[in-house]
Amino acid sequence: MAQKTAKLPRLTGTAIPVAALKTGDSCGAGEFLDLLPFADFCKSANLELIQLLPVNDTGTESSPYSALSAFALHPIYMRLQALPEAEPFLTEITELKQKHDNAKRFNYKQLRNDKLELLSAIFNANAQNIIKDDRLAKWIESHQWVKAYAVFMQKKRENFEANWQSWSNGKNASAEEIESAWNNKNKQKEHYFFAWMQMRLDEQFTKAAEYVKAAGIILKGDIPIMMNEDSADAWANPEFFNMNLRAGAPADGYNPTGQNWGFPIYNWKNLKACDYSWWKERLKAAEKYYKAYRIDHVLGFFRIWAVPQGERTAVLGYPQPLETISAKELEEIGFSAERLRWLSKPHIETRQIEEVNNFDYLGTHGELQKIMNRIGTEEMWLFKDSIKTDSDIYSADMPDSIKNRLAELWRNRCLIEVSKNKYTPTWAYRDSTAWQSLNEQEKTALQELIEAKQEKMEKTWEKQAKNILGDLTKSVDMIPCAEDLGANPESVPRVMGALNILSLRIVRWTREWNKDGQPYVMPEDYPSVSVAANSVHDSSTIRGWWLNENAGKDFIRDFGEAESVDEETYTPQTAEYVLKNIAKAQSAFCIHPLQDLLHLNARYYDDDCEAERVNVPGSVTEFNWTYRLPCTIDQLASDKELINSIKELCKLHKK
């Protein structure tokens, strides 16, 4: 049965990516075994929880939320010299450490490639004995997922890491075919390499997790809701995924065109038919290491924002499950087929394209004819039926200025035709040209129909989430926590409360948004069944927020003035002031990212506070996900001033 959370004691913890840890033993980035000395440091500071980012293998992608396996661990976290087979390679391991250890942030691609190359050399030197080892055979037998993973990884290697959907052979594989490929004697060595790596990673992570537990500290994992389309799971279990739709999020203040994550959405019908076995196995695998877990984007269990494959933005996405509006229903409230076309298809005026084409009338007509049909003799155009998504626009042979403008206008519609004669409103339908052209009576009639469908969907979403999350959370004995940020259906807190899932309260975003000045909700008023945090991996640190986002004025206004604290600077005194106010949270868990705790001592400050971030959302750069601590864990352990300051925070949260 699932862990009951209502009576949890108040615990203070810290959040850190494994890769950010730094010791004299790790190579270039943190490794699982670095959690041992880190647990000692946490224990000395009275921290009782360590929260990690996902640790699954992500292949060539540095983002831990872009896993190519729901089960396999990432080889970058392997302690090479701790391998039983590694002794003859100590010189090479030392050279690899020297190559990477001095980097302020690690080079993900280079470090991954170097580690895999050396791991391959270690395996090859011992392959005969490893393959015959009964311990590996037993491990494989009890971790059946590794067969599909190993076959998948070897095929990716043969295809130069290309997406499996582009493979010429083996992109459609049944369970029987995967088993047959695994048993192929000609590929046995290659397959066993990946299985051996996973066994050794499991051994090292298990050792670390048991050490953390013995220290009286909860290890909290992170379960990404989505899987990369280029994953062993999507390849081996296509029935669990809908590859025609991509998950994302609708537009918000930070993302005016929404977020298109590029991950396929789930086929919940097929998952339910299997009693959610894939999800339950995933949680069971995590339970081996963790006592608590973060459910990433819990909203996705209620409804996922689904974007048609090929769309570059998320503007034309819609929720799934979806309650559509039929053409007949629209006709009944006064919208003819012609009016319905006006609502659901973008109508482009010639002048709108002339403006970005040097006001060349004839030239603009020539360009538009490539992908559009003119409406009679009007200076008005509709996209041809062959244009299905904005990717088709960008593929057209025309100037970029025209393509960019057409892609923008492509999104300008009130309704989306999801399937023949089935419609749903766009997220920002009120901003569309079509909506604004309606009279008040038409707007009222359409709005009432949209709201009626929304009400039905709310009930469907609540029922779905209660069933899925109820089944999943009771299948393991871990404390469930959820990332429930953003605009959520009104049923989200109700379902989470019924299932004892801890909600998330990020102080900077937990405000009374509808009141003048948007004052902060005081942490003392947070619900007990929640996790309080000052920052997340996708945000700036508290220091960066204070200095670059002018947060100090509002914070001091609402939390009260303090000696040696002003809104323009961020000092250890400021850090103490901010963190102590957050530590007053009534939440069961109060989790401070380690960077924020390090601000209690100025020696750890980076000259550029943005350099202390883990990730900058919406960007794909070598900077993201490569943060490293500014010092070793041993150095932290010797900092009595820092340890005592953290102890005070822990004591305050207990009150």
PDB file of all heavy atoms in Angstrom, residues 62-63 105-106 108-109 614-616 618-626:
ATOM      1  N   SER A  62      21.254  15.876 -22.983  1.00  0.00           N
ATOM      2  CA  SER A  62      21.711  16.167 -21.621  1.00  0.00           C
ATOM      3  C   SER A  62      20.561  16.332 -20.639  1.00  0.00           C
ATOM      4  O   SER A  62      20.756  16.187 -19.431  1.00  0.00           O
ATOM      5  CB  SER A  62      22.567  17.439 -21.616  1.00  0.00           C
ATOM      6  OG  SER A  62      21.807  18.555 -22.052  1.00  0.00           O
ATOM      7  N   SER A  63      19.356  16.619 -21.151  1.00  0.00           N
ATOM      8  CA  SER A  63      18.222  16.831 -20.246  1.00  0.00           C
ATOM      9  C   SER A  63      17.813  15.528 -19.570  1.00  0.00           C
ATOM     10  O   SER A  63      17.518  14.540 -20.252  1.00  0.00           O
ATOM     11  CB  SER A  63      17.022  17.387 -21.003  1.00  0.00           C
ATOM     12  OG  SER A  63      15.867  17.367 -20.176  1.00  0.00           O
ATOM     13  N   ARG A 105      31.769  23.829 -15.561  1.00  0.00           N
ATOM     14  CA  ARG A 105      30.600  23.031 -15.904  1.00  0.00           C
ATOM     15  C   ARG A 105      31.105  21.917 -16.807  1.00  0.00           C
ATOM     16  O   ARG A 105      32.034  22.122 -17.591  1.00  0.00           O
ATOM     17  CB  ARG A 105      29.534  23.863 -16.634  1.00  0.00           C
ATOM     18  CG  ARG A 105      28.931  24.963 -15.785  1.00  0.00           C
ATOM     19  CD  ARG A 105      27.854  25.723 -16.550  1.00  0.00           C
ATOM     20  NE  ARG A 105      26.565  25.075 -16.497  1.00  0.00           N
ATOM     21  CZ  ARG A 105      25.589  25.374 -15.624  1.00  0.00           C
ATOM     22  NH1 ARG A 105      25.780  26.303 -14.708  1.00  0.00           N
ATOM     23  NH2 ARG A 105      24.433  24.746 -15.651  1.00  0.00           N
ATOM     24  N   PHE A 106      30.518  20.740 -16.703  1.00  0.00           N
ATOM     25  CA  PHE A 106      31.065  19.633 -17.470  1.00  0.00           C
ATOM     26  C   PHE A 106      30.532  19.624 -18.900  1.00  0.00           C
ATOM     27  O   PHE A 106      29.441  20.119 -19.180  1.00  0.00           O
ATOM     28  CB  PHE A 106      30.805  18.288 -16.785  1.00  0.00           C
ATOM     29  CG  PHE A 106      29.362  17.899 -16.639  1.00  0.00           C
ATOM     30  CD1 PHE A 106      28.725  17.129 -17.599  1.00  0.00           C
ATOM     31  CD2 PHE A 106      28.632  18.273 -15.506  1.00  0.00           C
ATOM     32  CE1 PHE A 106      27.396  16.745 -17.453  1.00  0.00           C
ATOM     33  CE2 PHE A 106      27.305  17.896 -15.347  1.00  0.00           C
ATOM     34  CZ  PHE A 106      26.686  17.136 -16.325  1.00  0.00           C
ATOM     35  N   TYR A 108      28.908  17.681 -21.408  1.00  0.00           N
ATOM     36  CA  TYR A 108      28.109  16.461 -21.347  1.00  0.00           C
ATOM     37  C   TYR A 108      28.475  15.463 -22.447  1.00  0.00           C
ATOM     38  O   TYR A 108      28.736  14.291 -22.172  1.00  0.00           O
ATOM     39  CB  TYR A 108      26.616  16.799 -21.426  1.00  0.00           C
ATOM     40  CG  TYR A 108      25.744  15.569 -21.519  1.00  0.00           C
ATOM     41  CD1 TYR A 108      25.403  14.859 -20.374  1.00  0.00           C
ATOM     42  CD2 TYR A 108      25.289  15.089 -22.750  1.00  0.00           C
ATOM     43  CE1 TYR A 108      24.627  13.707 -20.448  1.00  0.00           C
ATOM     44  CE2 TYR A 108      24.512  13.947 -22.835  1.00  0.00           C
ATOM     45  CZ  TYR A 108      24.189  13.263 -21.682  1.00  0.00           C
ATOM     46  OH  TYR A 108      23.439  12.114 -21.758  1.00  0.00           O
ATOM     47  N   LYS A 109      28.449  15.916 -23.677  1.00  0.00           N
ATOM     48  CA  LYS A 109      28.676  14.996 -24.795  1.00  0.00           C
ATOM     49  C   LYS A 109      30.054  14.364 -24.731  1.00  0.00           C
ATOM     50  O   LYS A 109      30.222  13.160 -24.936  1.00  0.00           O
ATOM     51  CB  LYS A 109      28.467  15.722 -26.121  1.00  0.00           C
ATOM     52  CG  LYS A 109      27.015  16.071 -26.391  1.00  0.00           C
ATOM     53  CD  LYS A 109      26.837  16.720 -27.757  1.00  0.00           C
ATOM     54  CE  LYS A 109      25.360  17.025 -28.006  1.00  0.00           C
ATOM     55  NZ  LYS A 109      25.150  17.688 -29.322  1.00  0.00           N
ATOM     56  N   VAL A 614      20.752  25.522 -13.003  1.00  0.00           N
ATOM     57  CA  VAL A 614      20.842  24.182 -13.584  1.00  0.00           C
ATOM     58  C   VAL A 614      20.373  24.210 -15.027  1.00  0.00           C
ATOM     59  O   VAL A 614      21.005  23.631 -15.914  1.00  0.00           O
ATOM     60  CB  VAL A 614      19.995  23.175 -12.770  1.00  0.00           C
ATOM     61  CG1 VAL A 614      19.927  21.827 -13.484  1.00  0.00           C
ATOM     62  CG2 VAL A 614      20.576  23.000 -11.374  1.00  0.00           C
ATOM     63  N   ASN A 615      19.266  24.923 -15.284  1.00  0.00           N
ATOM     64  CA  ASN A 615      18.656  24.894 -16.613  1.00  0.00           C
ATOM     65  C   ASN A 615      17.985  26.221 -16.904  1.00  0.00           C
ATOM     66  O   ASN A 615      17.475  26.890 -16.005  1.00  0.00           O
ATOM     67  CB  ASN A 615      17.623  23.760 -16.695  1.00  0.00           C
ATOM     68  CG  ASN A 615      16.943  23.678 -18.044  1.00  0.00           C
ATOM     69  OD1 ASN A 615      17.606  23.656 -19.072  1.00  0.00           O
ATOM     70  ND2 ASN A 615      15.615  23.638 -18.060  1.00  0.00           N
ATOM     71  N   VAL A 616      18.005  26.603 -18.180  1.00  0.00           N
ATOM     72  CA  VAL A 616      17.246  27.767 -18.651  1.00  0.00           C
ATOM     73  C   VAL A 616      16.175  27.243 -19.603  1.00  0.00           C
ATOM     74  O   VAL A 616      16.486  26.848 -20.733  1.00  0.00           O
ATOM     75  CB  VAL A 616      18.146  28.782 -19.373  1.00  0.00           C
ATOM     76  CG1 VAL A 616      17.318  29.977 -19.854  1.00  0.00           C
ATOM     77  CG2 VAL A 616      19.276  29.244 -18.464  1.00  0.00           C
ATOM     78  N   GLY A 618      13.360  26.544 -22.372  1.00  0.00           N
ATOM     79  CA  GLY A 618      13.177  27.131 -23.695  1.00  0.00           C
ATOM     80  C   GLY A 618      14.459  27.288 -24.481  1.00  0.00           C
ATOM     81  O   GLY A 618      14.443  27.813 -25.594  1.00  0.00           O
ATOM     82  N   SER A 619      15.574  26.841 -23.906  1.00  0.00           N
ATOM     83  CA  SER A 619      16.848  26.925 -24.619  1.00  0.00           C
ATOM     84  C   SER A 619      17.491  25.545 -24.664  1.00  0.00           C
ATOM     85  O   SER A 619      17.319  24.735 -23.757  1.00  0.00           O
ATOM     86  CB  SER A 619      17.798  27.908 -23.923  1.00  0.00           C
ATOM     87  OG  SER A 619      18.168  27.430 -22.631  1.00  0.00           O
ATOM     88  N   VAL A 620      18.210  25.285 -25.724  1.00  0.00           N
ATOM     89  CA  VAL A 620      18.958  24.036 -25.857  1.00  0.00           C
ATOM     90  C   VAL A 620      20.418  24.423 -26.073  1.00  0.00           C
ATOM     91  O   VAL A 620      20.821  24.782 -27.176  1.00  0.00           O
ATOM     92  CB  VAL A 620      18.440  23.182 -27.028  1.00  0.00           C
ATOM     93  CG1 VAL A 620      19.234  21.883 -27.128  1.00  0.00           C
ATOM     94  CG2 VAL A 620      16.958  22.879 -26.861  1.00  0.00           C
ATOM     95  N   THR A 621      21.193  24.377 -24.997  1.00  0.00           N
ATOM     96  CA  THR A 621      22.590  24.803 -25.058  1.00  0.00           C
ATOM     97  C   THR A 621      23.448  23.841 -24.252  1.00  0.00           C
ATOM     98  O   THR A 621      22.943  23.013 -23.484  1.00  0.00           O
ATOM     99  CB  THR A 621      22.761  26.213 -24.468  1.00  0.00           C
ATOM    100  OG1 THR A 621      22.508  26.166 -23.045  1.00  0.00           O
ATOM    101  CG2 THR A 621      21.789  27.204 -25.099  1.00  0.00           C
ATOM    102  N   GLU A 622      24.752  23.968 -24.403  1.00  0.00           N
ATOM    103  CA  GLU A 622      25.675  23.141 -23.635  1.00  0.00           C
ATOM    104  C   GLU A 622      25.711  23.557 -22.163  1.00  0.00           C
ATOM    105  O   GLU A 622      26.242  22.832 -21.327  1.00  0.00           O
ATOM    106  CB  GLU A 622      27.078  23.223 -24.245  1.00  0.00           C
ATOM    107  CG  GLU A 622      27.168  22.566 -25.625  1.00  0.00           C
ATOM    108  CD  GLU A 622      28.581  22.553 -26.180  1.00  0.00           C
ATOM    109  OE1 GLU A 622      29.480  23.129 -25.521  1.00  0.00           O
ATOM    110  OE2 GLU A 622      28.785  21.979 -27.267  1.00  0.00           O
ATOM    111  N   PHE A 623      25.142  24.721 -21.861  1.00  0.00           N
ATOM    112  CA  PHE A 623      25.084  25.198 -20.472  1.00  0.00           C
ATOM    113  C   PHE A 623      24.113  24.370 -19.636  1.00  0.00           C
ATOM    114  O   PHE A 623      24.403  24.015 -18.486  1.00  0.00           O
ATOM    115  CB  PHE A 623      24.648  26.672 -20.476  1.00  0.00           C
ATOM    116  CG  PHE A 623      24.392  27.260 -19.109  1.00  0.00           C
ATOM    117  CD1 PHE A 623      25.398  27.890 -18.406  1.00  0.00           C
ATOM    118  CD2 PHE A 623      23.124  27.183 -18.525  1.00  0.00           C
ATOM    119  CE1 PHE A 623      25.163  28.432 -17.141  1.00  0.00           C
ATOM    120  CE2 PHE A 623      22.871  27.710 -17.273  1.00  0.00           C
ATOM    121  CZ  PHE A 623      23.904  28.345 -16.581  1.00  0.00           C
ATOM    122  N   ASN A 624      22.975  24.057 -20.223  1.00  0.00           N
ATOM    123  CA  ASN A 624      21.898  23.412 -19.463  1.00  0.00           C
ATOM    124  C   ASN A 624      22.301  22.043 -18.938  1.00  0.00           C
ATOM    125  O   ASN A 624      22.940  21.254 -19.621  1.00  0.00           O
ATOM    126  CB  ASN A 624      20.650  23.276 -20.329  1.00  0.00           C
ATOM    127  CG  ASN A 624      19.967  24.611 -20.557  1.00  0.00           C
ATOM    128  OD1 ASN A 624      20.195  25.568 -19.822  1.00  0.00           O
ATOM    129  ND2 ASN A 624      19.133  24.691 -21.577  1.00  0.00           N
ATOM    130  N   TRP A 625      21.901  21.790 -17.696  1.00  0.00           N
ATOM    131  CA  TRP A 625      22.033  20.495 -17.022  1.00  0.00           C
ATOM    132  C   TRP A 625      23.491  20.099 -16.732  1.00  0.00           C
ATOM    133  O   TRP A 625      23.765  18.938 -16.457  1.00  0.00           O
ATOM    134  CB  TRP A 625      21.357  19.390 -17.846  1.00  0.00           C
ATOM    135  CG  TRP A 625      19.985  19.730 -18.299  1.00  0.00           C
ATOM    136  CD1 TRP A 625      19.593  20.010 -19.576  1.00  0.00           C
ATOM    137  CD2 TRP A 625      18.811  19.865 -17.485  1.00  0.00           C
ATOM    138  NE1 TRP A 625      18.255  20.304 -19.613  1.00  0.00           N
ATOM    139  CE2 TRP A 625      17.742  20.219 -18.341  1.00  0.00           C
ATOM    140  CE3 TRP A 625      18.559  19.705 -16.107  1.00  0.00           C
ATOM    141  CZ2 TRP A 625      16.451  20.429 -17.881  1.00  0.00           C
ATOM    142  CZ3 TRP A 625      17.268  19.920 -15.644  1.00  0.00           C
ATOM    143  CH2 TRP A 625      16.237  20.280 -16.525  1.00  0.00           C
ATOM    144  N   THR A 626      24.408  21.051 -16.788  1.00  0.00           N
ATOM    145  CA  THR A 626      25.827  20.713 -16.581  1.00  0.00           C
ATOM    146  C   THR A 626      26.428  21.421 -15.369  1.00  0.00           C
ATOM    147  O   THR A 626      27.645  21.541 -15.250  1.00  0.00           O
ATOM    148  CB  THR A 626      26.645  21.066 -17.839  1.00  0.00           C
ATOM    149  OG1 THR A 626      26.532  22.473 -18.100  1.00  0.00           O
ATOM    150  CG2 THR A 626      26.160  20.277 -19.051  1.00  0.00           C
TER     151      THR A 626
END
